[in-house]
Amino acid sequence: MKIYLFIFVLYGAFELTPGLPDVVHIGGIFGPDDYDLELAFRYAVDRINMDRNLFPRGRLNPLIEKVSPSDSFQTAKRVCNMTEQGVAAIFGPSSRLTSSIVQSTCDTLEIPHLETRWDPKPHHRSCLLNLHPYPQSYSRALKDLLKAMQWKSFTIIYENNEGLVRLQEVLKAHGPSEYPITVRQLGEGHDHRPLLKQIQASSESHILLDCSVDKIAEILRQAKEDLHTVDVEEFRFGRTNITGFRMVDPQSTSLQNAVHDWQYEEVRFGRRINISPNTVRTETALMHDAVHLFARALVEMDRSHPINTSHLSCDAAEKWEHGYKLINYMKFMDRPGLTGHIRFDVYGKRVDFPLDIIELDRDGFVKTGFWDYRSGINYTRTETEKLTIISESLQNKTFIVSSRLGAPYLMEREPKGTFTGNDRYEGYSMDLIDEVSKILGFKYVFELVPDGRYGSLDPKTKKWDGLVKQLLEKKADLAICDLTITYSREQAVDFTMPFMNLGISILYSKPVKQPPNLFSFLSPLSVDVWIYMATAYLGVSVVLFVLARLTPYEWNNPHPCNPDPEELETQFNLLNCMWFAIGSLMQQGCDFLPKAVSTRMVAGMWWFFTLIMISSYTANLAAFLTVERMDVTIESAEDLAKQTKIKYGAVEGGSTAGFFKDSNFSTYQRMWSFMESARPPVFAKANSEGVERVSKGKRGYAFLMESTSIEYVVEKQCDLTQVGGLLDSKGYGIALPLNSPYRTAVSGAVLKLQEGGKLHMLKTKWWKEKQGGGLCKEEKSSSVESANELGLANVGGVFVVLISGMGAAAVVAVLEFLWNTKKVAVEDRTTFKAALQEELRFVLKCHGSTKPIQKAGAKEDSGGKSGGTGRGNSQGPYDKYGVVNKSSKSIVIPQAEYLNKK
Ligand code: GLU
């Protein structure tokens, strides 16, 4: 068993490098400054030579040539020297000019040529293998990154035409319907400030920078592929977010080991180039990978096809027989390197390669994800990690908070002009930001937005104004006020979770209190009903009168003791009918009642009618007298839309105006066209202006306003009120620039405040406690109490009616008295004056309930017994029943007639 194993090991060793010569020459051509490339090349060769597993016998021998990047002639000569010595491959150079000479020589002699340089226009050469990512694939990675970062508009800064090749996928992916992108070229020289200023003036905050590494430090210290080599110390705590790609991970053990050896090599060669994992260029790492790839392929191929090198002259037509095959072996190798997995397509392009996504944070650049050809962008940081990093980064930041004046969100502190900095202002917004800053640990400076507007998009210029503009121009990090979260604003900026919920409603003046009406007891029924009732009363009286005449059962014997009366009488003469009807209507009744079915039916119906009418009247009277009547003319937005007398408007450029403008609902559309066409204009610059207009408008102007602001106003201005409910439902949020990394953190803080009841406390503080809030609540409660008591003003009319009734009765009594006196004077054959004196004397005596009949001529009348109806009233108006008697108004018919009738 041991013997077999030994044989196998021997055989294996023999099989690994069966035909390779002891020394395999490989060429390296470098520019005079490419020390790091040379170092990597040498170190890789040393490593391979030391790896006896890989290379058990023989060794690689590096032939290094230094050539000037522009000297093609020298390069050609050096390459030919190398080929004459018999090289198995040539690595480098990194200059485009000299590289093409090497390419063509290698192609002619069929010697593998390995490159590590960025080649914007790669030509297909059968013996060439470039380990640098293929430009189009790199361009695709950039495109994927922009898509993942959701950049809509951005500016591309490129240095030269090579950069445009890198960016071609990005440019191609941007359709004509999308936001415009700007492409600018870096100027000559070192001063790029004019260009950067122009970009800043265009309020662009997203920049894609494509330039050489040494320029990045000058231009915002941004970078792409080699971002990790830039000294970014001065940007760590700034307001710039830098994202980039890298092929080499400075944290990887393989790179750190490699760099450690390079540093050793540096000492050995006596040159110091200060190489460290963070300063390794991609090209250097690629050179390391290229040599290892070559060595692996060489060993692999040698297993099946023994290889030996040939001394080839550039002038002869001879080629290296193994060249093509070796290149093909390299193409199909799939192995890890310092620059990720090395894979090629059939044309030798490095298409499928991994890239790390790196972002700048407090600790420098950190890996946040990776890109690969197949799956695109993959972020590897968890949400919690992201949040922690963001929270940490917030500690040293000072945010510029843009806001606008508007009570109670932000107000100038009194006395004005005596405070500086944040102390100049106070209000809900200030308190809220203060609470958020305490949670997240940032500092803040409040600044007022210059135009004082919320933020609306001009459809013509496509430009934003107000707070949104401040954020877009990067003049502010946060924007807060009563800023509504709307769809269009959400396209331009980011919003946190809403800190307040609201809807649009109507602010209007309260109805002016009507002075109590003397005749308010008439109010429960309308004038029409009063007239109808009077008519009904008369009608029923007449019907009763007619029916009573028709029916025989209402005709009675006036002298029940006389079984054979000559006359029959009825009580239902017209006056009695009216008395009966009014008695019922007043719920009092009277002392005679109908007997016949027909008249009883009339009476029943009338009683029913009066029952309902009187109960309705009583119920309504209670409501009318206790509840303050409001002269409400509008109760909803529909009511407003229906009329044109009361004007209405909203804040110009605000979300309320936007709601009506963009609404599909016909009522709101009508309201919008009314508002737009109204002259003088109905729009207000701010809520305060609209409120003033309502309060001075004498119910001629209503203001469409957000419910939270209405709540605040009606707490202090008791003449104003909210009319109707909410037309929509939305919220106020804190705005941040688009894709702001702080959104989640600030949102989280807002939620925390909400859950802890802090937001509610702040609202109570600024709405109800400060600035005269709660004033109108007291007024409301006291007015409710007084509503239950009725003053003379409410019921005075009833007294008036009573007094007038009394007066009228007195007048009638006087007339009756005078009429009777006149009759007495005639009967007594005395003068009217004497009779009047006599009668008055009796009246003024004021005692005695009997009245003597003095005149012999006077007819006997039962009326005399009635106690003071009238002296000598032989034809007194009332019979024994107290009913108007036959001689005056009662109706008597002869019995014959009565019998005939029967
Ligand atoms: N809150 C509104 C906005 O953000 C302004 C006031 C309004 O339109 O009623 O635009």
Side-chain angles (χ1 to χ4, degrees), residues 13-58:
F14 178 73
E15 273 298 297
L16 275 174
T17 52
L20 274 179
D22 284 352
V23 176
V24 178
H25 298 297
I26 52 169
I29 304 176
F30 304 105
D33 298 330
D34 294 336
Y35 291 124
D36 52 343
L37 291 182
E38 187 189 332
L39 195 63
F41 180 72
R42 277 185 194 282
Y43 161 74
V45 170
D46 278 3
R47 268 277 143 176
I48 291 158
N49 287 341
M50 278 190 285
D51 188 350
R52 285 289 135 197
N53 279 337
L54 176 70
F55 238 60
R57 191 167 62 85

Side-chain angles (χ1 to χ4, degrees), residues 141-154 205-209 222 241-245 357-359 368 377 379 494 737-741:
L142 264 183
K143 182 193 85 178
D144 290 350
L145 182 65
L146 296 192
K147 204 168 152 201
M149 292 202 300
Q150 297 172 351
W151 280 14
K152 288 186 185 114
S153 78
F154 52 92
S205 55
H206 296 141
I207 298 170
L208 179 59
L209 178 65
Q222 287 190 29
N241 300 317
I242 303 178
T243 304
F245 283 131
I357 302 166
I358 50 172
E359 281 174 27
T368 57
I377 300 287
Y379 283 105
D494 270 353
L738 206 59
N739 301 322
S740 166

Side-chain angles (χ1 to χ4, degrees), residues 454-455 481-486 489 502 504 650-658 687 703-706 709 730 732:
Y454 290 89
C481 68
D482 47 335
L483 187 66
T484 312
I485 304 170
T486 62
R489 285 177 187 162
L502 59 127
I504 297 172
V651 170
E652 195 175 8
S655 59
T656 304
N687 277 337
F703 192 54
L704 293 154
M705 195 169 162
E706 286 164 333
S709 303
K730 50 201 178 186
Y732 294 148

Side-chain angles (χ1 to χ4, degrees), residues 12 51 68 308 332 346 423 444 466 546 574 599 680-681 713 892:
D51 188 350
S68 150
N308 47 29
F332 292 106
V346 283
D423 292 343
Y444 61 91
V546 174
L574 193 58
T599 47
V713 171
V892 178

